[in-house]
Amino acid sequence: MLLKGKVVVVTGGGQGIGQGIVECAARDGARVAILDIRTERAKDLAKQLAARSLEVAVWQADVADAASFGEAIGNVAAKWGRIDALVNNAGVVAPPGSFMDGDPATWDHMIDVDYKGVLNGIRAAVPHLQRAGGGAIVNIGSDSARFGEVGIAVYSGCKGAVNSVSKSLAKELASARIRINVIAPGLIDTPIMDVARSTPEGAKMIEDTQKTIPLGKLGVPEDIGNLASFLVSDRASYITGQTISVNGGMIMFG
Ligand SMILES: NC(=O)c1ccc[n+]([C@@H]2O[C@H](COP(=O)([O-])OP(=O)(O)OC[C@H]3O[C@@H](n4cnc5c(N)ncnc54)[C@H](O)[C@@H]3O)[C@@H](O)[C@H]2O)c1
């Protein structure tokens, strides 16, 4: 089994892409810790997976709050004795719209969760990964940071920052045998898309973009989960500092 013996932490694992990452990691043999600000769905998911004899536990944590994130990571290590991988997946997006019409108060929330949440997670997890002799971090970015999506400028900027910091830290932490990569999803059908669909501009953006996808459909959370499992596994031991798109061919980077 790809992840047998590993402990994998997934933030925002209660629904959407995070749920896909949790399901794939558990299927692949990992013990999986879900850290989510809302725990009801995550607990239901853990129960469903336990019924298949898969080991998943849930802790409440706000990734934007370094103390809350750190405490939850400490609890995972106390329960299972080690942490081998962290997937920083939790994210939020404000309804799409013009930058000039946007409310600066919503910027802070996106910056706190989508960017600072990743920094908080890395700071909290690295000492545990080092104690395990090394490990892997996967940050969930977005293709919107790579091609300049209209209507979600601040969100895209946060994801661009995630790409940049991941490269810098992949270099800084390589000597500690810690690999860091980014998965950049294209359009994946999850509840976050309902936020995007909530304005006429957002709904049109999704409809227009979908038409440009060579594989002709939106992605599903498992598409991201399968790559996350591979990237945190030892089979990816020579891959670090990369941003890998999972987008049905929507954008092809050279
Ligand atoms: N769905 C897409 O098409 C798409 C595309 C590109 C990138 N992404 C990224 O993928 C990730 C997951 O997106 P999704 O579509 O599954 O979203 P979602 O809204 O369906 O799920 C997000 C999860 O994160 C949790 N969460 C939110 N704020 C949190 C916080 N402060 N602390 C802890 N948990 C928190 C939520 O409770 C939820 O379980 C995000 O980082 C998002 O930016 C999604």
Side-chain angles (χ1 to χ4, degrees):
M1 279 229 215
L2 193 62
L3 301 179
K4 194 170 168 38
K6 292 197 189 291
V7 173
V8 177
V9 177
V10 182
T11 69
Q15 68 176 43
I17 288 175
Q19 176 172 345
I21 295 168
V22 169
E23 287 173 343
C24 289
R27 171 203 71 194
D28 291 332
R31 284 171 287 176
V32 185
I34 303 177
L35 272 47
D36 205 302
I37 198 162
R38 296 189 307 261
T39 54
E40 255 172 52
R41 280 171 190 270
K43 283 181 180 162
D44 285 348
L45 175 62
K47 254 190 225 155
Q48 287 166 29
L49 294 173
R52 290 166 47 196
S53 305
L54 303 176
E55 216 174 334
V56 176
V58 178
W59 283 269
Q60 203 270 339
D62 177 358
V63 300
D65 175 346
S68 159
F69 206 155
E71 189 184 331
I73 289 273
N75 287 333
V76 177
K79 178 176 171 69
W80 283 322
R82 59 186 294 129
I83 295 177
D84 300 279
L86 167 67
V87 183
N88 280 310
N89 161 78
V92 290
V93 64
S98 97
F99 173 73
M100 295 306 287
D101 291 342
D103 173 8
T106 64
W107 302 352
D108 289 339
H109 187 49
M110 283 187 279
I111 292 166
D112 285 349
V113 176
D114 296 341
Y115 180 46
K116 284 163 81 177
V118 169
L119 304 183
N120 289 335
I122 294 173
R123 276 262 284 216
V126 161
H128 297 284
L129 302 182
Q130 282 176 312
R131 241 169 264 139
I137 295 169
V138 171
N139 297 323
I140 305 301
S142 171
D143 258 359
S144 68
R146 308 183 83 189
F147 69 87
E149 185 60 277
V150 176
I152 48 172
V154 177
Y155 168 84
S156 301
C158 292
K159 296 298 191 176
V162 168
N163 288 343
S164 298
V165 84
S166 299
K167 286 188 251 187
S168 296
L169 292 179
K171 283 190 181 168
E172 190 172 322
L173 295 169
S175 60
R177 301 173 57 82
I178 295 171
R179 298 180 296 102
I180 305 188
N181 292 290
V182 177
I183 298 177
L187 280 185
I188 310 296
D189 213 351
T190 72
I192 211 173
M193 299 290 271
D194 298 337
V195 180
R197 286 185 182 110
S198 68
T199 63
E201 204 178 345
K204 187 172 178 333
M205 180 189 92
I206 292 169
E207 201 186 311
D208 289 349
T209 314
Q210 196 172 339
K211 286 183 197 146
T212 69
I213 299 174
L215 290 180
K217 56 178 185 176
L218 299 185
V220 294
E222 194 184 1
D223 294 324
I224 308 301
N226 282 324
L227 179 57
S229 271
F230 171 72
L231 284 174
V232 302
S233 80
D234 296 338
R235 287 196 196 151
S237 60
Y238 199 52
I239 302 176
T240 197
Q242 306 303 312
T243 296
I244 302 172
S245 289
V246 178
N247 62 17
M250 183 172 74
I251 311 279
M252 300 182 187
F253 298 95

